[in-house]
Amino acid sequence: AAPAAAAAPAAAASPTYTFPAFTPTHAPAVQSAPEQLATIITVPSGVNPGFVLSPPPTVPTPLQAPVSTPPIPSHPDPRPAAPRTKAKAVQSAAPSSLAAELVAASETPFFPALPKPRVLPFAKLKKPGAVSEAPNGSVLVIDEKQSLRVWVDGSNVTQVLPSATHGAFALCQLDDNGFLVIAGLEKRLARTGSIKWKRTDLQKPHAMVVVGDLVLVAEQGMSQVMILSLDDGKTQSAFGKESLKLPTYIASGLDGDVVVVDAPELGAKQVFVFDAYGRATRSFGREVLSDPAGVSVDSRGFVFVADTRARSVFVFFSLTGALVTRIDVPGVPTGVLVTARSEVVIPFRHEASAASGALAVIA
């Protein structure tokens, strides 16, 4: 008799996530990795992460997934050795393969020398603030008159913001021409346009980034990153409370990473990198940064951090924490943006007048 046909496999059930808090485990420094510049923080096995941007892969697990490192050219690096920060590698009793991959990837790719920033003569701002990129590639800069400077391929347009955005200090334009804006004395995050939010659970939002249908907010009142639904503003989850003291700026990085600048008034200013499950995997910059003013990540994983006190933009490699270069700014930077076209846009205030500023661009 013919063998019976195998039963059809059952449909896979949709994954269900819970979000308990996690506690990074710290242990003595790894002596075998003297070149590692970033602090590695791993989570003990069996701990459920606190945040998921997308369903976890079936195989391999996130802790087993290899880390993609930008290609390193074969030609020698002509740059002088970059200053190194003092940092330590921290691992749990059962080190993960992710930590091993990060240690193995301690060599930083070549970062080309950048020209001096070019100041745009037409971009005359009163008091520049946050900078962001619109879906159509426009560069959006807030100034003190609650107007919006739009820079598109060398043209400059002033657009009056909706009344709900008066007093804005953080702004993000959406595909439907609506805005996400943090505005007002109470620093509330609101959505304008065809879809409006009724309320959020935020206390003191300071910066935000949109990732798919989620909004990630640097929430200073609760010292963590809050995850909201872009559709209705309702809280989906949160992460980073065990690591962050005063999350100030936030950006999306490579492979689902989230880059957060932590800048407490008392204590070290540094950059934390969280993976797509909300786990703090590394930190760096604590002996370089003094007064961060914005963060952006390019397509190769280099992290640009504006610093007002240093009058500079520092560039780190996110996988190792290495400081690869420093961009001098002709004024006091108030933010930084690396566009989809790899242009570096830096709004800044003039030293002589706090009520006068401009845009500097590296293309």
Side-chain angles (χ1 to χ4, degrees), residues 136-206:
N136 64 359
S138 302
V139 175
L140 314 176
V141 184
I142 300 173
D143 69 19
E144 67 174 5
K145 291 187 175 181
Q146 289 79 51
S147 61
L148 184 66
R149 299 288 185 174
V150 181
W151 174 52
V152 186
D153 294 332
S155 62
N156 188 35
V157 181
T158 299
Q159 174 182 336
V160 178
L161 297 178
S163 59
T165 66
H166 285 177
F169 72 95
L171 186 73
C172 177
Q173 188 170 8
L174 306 175
D175 288 321
D176 62 356
N177 291 324
F179 290 95
L180 283 179
V181 59
I182 301 177
L185 296 177
E186 297 180 352
K187 294 185 178 180
R188 294 187 178 275
L189 175 61
R191 176 169 180 170
T192 70
S194 58
I195 301 177
K196 294 181 174 62
W197 291 350
K198 292 183 178 179
R199 61 178 299 275
T200 68
D201 297 324
L202 302 174
Q203 296 179 6
K204 190 180 179 182
H206 194 272

Side-chain angles (χ1 to χ4, degrees), residues 19 201 213-214 226-230 232-238:
F19 307 105
D201 297 324
D213 58 354
L214 299 174
M226 301 286 288
I227 308 160
L228 310 182
S229 166
L230 180 60
D232 55 16
K234 293 184 178 179
T235 301
Q236 304 297 303
S237 186

